[in-house]
């Protein structure tokens, strides 16, 4: 704890801490440089928002005295970035501090850094390509190699990275095909069989995601793009052309963690409003992580969002990998801590 509370002393006394943060500085500069070289422009979007959107997470709340309104700290910059694409900035990115009022462990911090980038006239495949280029460039910049060791695990970032269907991979693990259209009781029984906990209000799509998160993700070591997630857990993503229950979405998994998320963006205002309506019903049922209805975003879509590719990369987890450390607090200069106990 003393290392985290007095980081200035830690940096003076511990050369390995300084090494990790030097890696962080170089990696973020490399990510920024690569995006600028591909004609993306860096922008700033609000941290204080009328309602937090762009992800499924529980926000921190605060109050603006001057306006006498409640505000959320952002959980993601996504909706504002897509509004900028509507406004004619066809390639935008932000390296942003986000805030989620959730658990703290070796992989999660309530305050964390993410990179989000949006490209007009792109799709989910373009998003995977860009994600791979960015991470490989950051790795080569900080280490001039693509093999890293975390704990006793050697992780090889050499491209190209495999792209696997979520439902196909899950079928290999559980022994039979699952689909978001399956009866919920059937998917619950698979969850129970594999020790996956669930809430009674979850539908088949959410249950399939929990199976992925609990029994598939922990098996991953080297990078793999997992593709085709249920629409039920992808409220801002476009449906696939051949299955309306699945979204054109990927997650990048490395070392049993989600490193990136991206999709072909939903750009149909009527469908987005309907999805928001479904999320609002989930909120009414007590789901604290459901996506709020953002009418300003729906209005922006009515002006016309071109086909767009969007990605988000967890910067802190990337630095954990490049620095060979196991805990997210070791890559955040001043991580959130409990107050010190004073005798």
């Amino acid at each position: 704890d003393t290392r985290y509370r007095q980081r200035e002393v830690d940096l003076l006394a511990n050369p390995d801490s300084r090494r990790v943060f030097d890696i962080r500085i170089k990696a973020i500069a490399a990510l920024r440089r690569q995006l600028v070289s591909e004609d993306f422009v860096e922008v700033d979007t609000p941290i204080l928002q009328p309602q937090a959107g762009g992800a499924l997470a529980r926000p921190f709340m605060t109050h603006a005295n001057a306006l006498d309104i409640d505000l959320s700290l952002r959980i993601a910059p996504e909706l504002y970035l897509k509004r900028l694409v509507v406004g004619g900035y066809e390639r935008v990115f932000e390296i942003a501090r986000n805030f989620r009022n959730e658990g703290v462990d070796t992989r999660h911090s309530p305050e964390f850094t993410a990179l989000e980038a949006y490209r007009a006239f792109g799709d989910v495949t373009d998003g995977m390509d860009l994600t791979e280029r960015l991470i490989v460039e950051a790795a080569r910049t900080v280490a001039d190699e693509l093999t890293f060791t975390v704990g006793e695990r050697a992780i090889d970032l050499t491209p190209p990275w495999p792209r696997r269907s979520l439902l196909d991979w899950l079928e290999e693990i559980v022994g039979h095909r699952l689909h978001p259209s399956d009866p919920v009781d059937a998917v619950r029984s698979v969850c129970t069989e594999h020790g996956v906990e669930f809430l009674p209000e979850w539908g088949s799509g959410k249950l399939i995601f929990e199976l992925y998160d609990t029994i598939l993700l922990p098996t991953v070591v080297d990078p793999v793009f997992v593709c085709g997630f249920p629409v039920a857990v992808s409220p801002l993503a476009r449906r696939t052309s051949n299955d309306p229950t699945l979204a054109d979405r990927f997650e990048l998994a490395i070392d049993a963690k989600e490193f990136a998320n991206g999709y072909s963006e939903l750009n149909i205002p009527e469908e987005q409003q309907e999805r928001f309506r479904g999320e609002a019903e989930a909120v009414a049922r007590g789901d604290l992580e459901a996506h709020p209805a953002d009418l300003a975003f729906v209005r922006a879509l009515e002006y016309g969002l071109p086909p767009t590719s969007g990605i988000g990369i967890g910067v802190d987890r990337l630095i954990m990998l490049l620095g060979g450390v196991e805990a997210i607090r070791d890559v955040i200069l001043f991580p959130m801590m409990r107050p010190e106990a004073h005798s």
Side-chain angles (χ1 to χ4, degrees):
D1 275 9
T2 302
R3 288 182 51 223
Y4 303 129
R5 294 186 193 280
Q6 300 182 47
R7 182 67 83 186
E8 63 280 6
V9 180
D10 177 44
L11 291 169
L12 289 171
N14 187 346
D16 195 59
S17 287
R18 182 61 178 259
R19 176 191 68 85
V20 169
F21 289 108
D22 285 347
I23 286 172
R24 183 184 182 100
I25 292 165
K26 292 176 183 176
I28 291 175
L31 295 170
R32 181 176 279 114
R33 187 166 55 246
Q34 181 66 29
L35 284 163
V36 170
S37 76
E38 298 190 26
D39 298 323
F40 285 80
V41 295
E42 186 170 10
V43 296
D44 298 303
T45 61
I47 293 175
L48 288 171
Q49 301 181 353
Q51 55 189 4
L56 304 179
R58 185 175 182 178
F60 287 93
M61 303 299 297
T62 188
H63 186 79
N65 292 333
L67 300 175
D68 193 25
I69 56 172
D70 291 329
L71 295 169
S72 304
L73 295 182
R74 73 173 165 210
I75 57 175
E78 175 171 344
L79 302 186
Y80 285 96
L81 290 172
K82 286 192 281 194
R83 287 169 66 178
L84 292 177
V85 178
V86 170
Y89 285 99
E90 293 185 349
R91 297 191 179 201
V92 296
F93 77 96
E94 184 169 9
I95 299 175
R97 296 294 269 186
N98 298 328
F99 307 86
R100 298 183 183 178
N101 197 359
E102 299 172 346
V104 178
D105 58 29
T106 57
R107 297 183 301 159
H108 298 90
S109 170
E111 180 181 9
F112 64 97
T113 302
L115 181 158
E116 293 206 16
Y118 294 83
R119 170 191 166 183
F121 308 107
D123 62 12
V124 68
T125 301
D126 297 305
M128 288 187 280
D129 292 344
L130 177 59
T131 300
E132 187 176 282
R133 286 196 302 275
L134 286 169
I135 292 178
V136 167
E137 178 61 25
R140 286 181 170 145
T141 296
V142 304
D144 199 27
E145 62 178 357
L146 294 176
T147 302
F148 296 84
T149 301
V150 182
E152 298 180 352
R153 305 178 301 282
I155 299 164
D156 186 358
L157 300 183
T158 303
W161 300 339
R163 302 177 181 189
R164 300 203 58 184
S165 159
L166 167 60
L167 297 186
D168 289 350
W169 199 352
L170 207 53
E171 182 178 6
E172 294 176 16
I173 293 177
V174 304
H176 58 90
R177 189 78 172 177
L178 296 174
H179 191 268
S181 64
D182 290 344
V184 69
D185 286 341
V187 187
R188 283 174 181 164
S189 67
V190 176
C191 290
T192 301
E193 179 184 347
H194 290 273
V196 177
E197 297 181 354
F198 55 86
L199 296 178
E201 61 266 26
W202 290 354
S204 294
K206 172 65 171 169
L207 293 170
I208 287 171
F209 180 84
E210 286 300 307
L211 283 163
Y212 155 75
D213 203 44
T214 306
I215 67 173
L216 191 159
L217 186 59
T219 69
V220 175
V221 180
D222 292 338
V224 57
F225 288 110
V226 186
C227 306
F229 284 79
V231 168
V233 291
S234 313
L236 300 166
R238 192 176 71 192
R239 299 176 192 269
T240 63
S241 58
N242 57 356
D243 188 336
T245 71
L246 295 177
D248 250 344
R249 172 184 169 188
F250 74 85
E251 281 197 3
L252 171 63
I254 310 175
D255 193 26
K257 305 176 188 70
E258 176 207 342
F259 269 66
N261 182 36
Y263 34 85
S264 303
E265 303 296 334
L266 177 59
N267 61 353
I268 303 169
E270 296 82 5
E271 183 176 350
Q272 186 64 79
Q273 187 159 16
E274 184 60 31
R275 297 235 202 134
F276 280 160
R277 188 173 294 116
E279 292 291 307
E281 292 171 0
V283 172
R285 293 193 301 268
D287 186 346
L288 297 175
E289 295 186 358
H291 200 292
D294 190 322
L295 299 182
F297 177 63
V298 173
R299 181 179 60 200
L301 292 183
E302 291 171 350
Y303 288 103
L305 176 69
T308 297
S309 165
I311 65 167
I313 298 174
V315 171
D316 303 306
R317 291 184 184 179
L318 175 59
I319 307 307
M320 290 168 63
L321 171 60
L322 301 182
V325 298
E326 301 262 29
I328 196 170
R329 292 196 300 179
D330 289 327
V331 301
I332 297 174
L333 280 167
F334 297 99
M336 187 177 295
M337 306 282 292
R338 293 185 187 275
E340 291 186 71
H342 296 286
S343 56

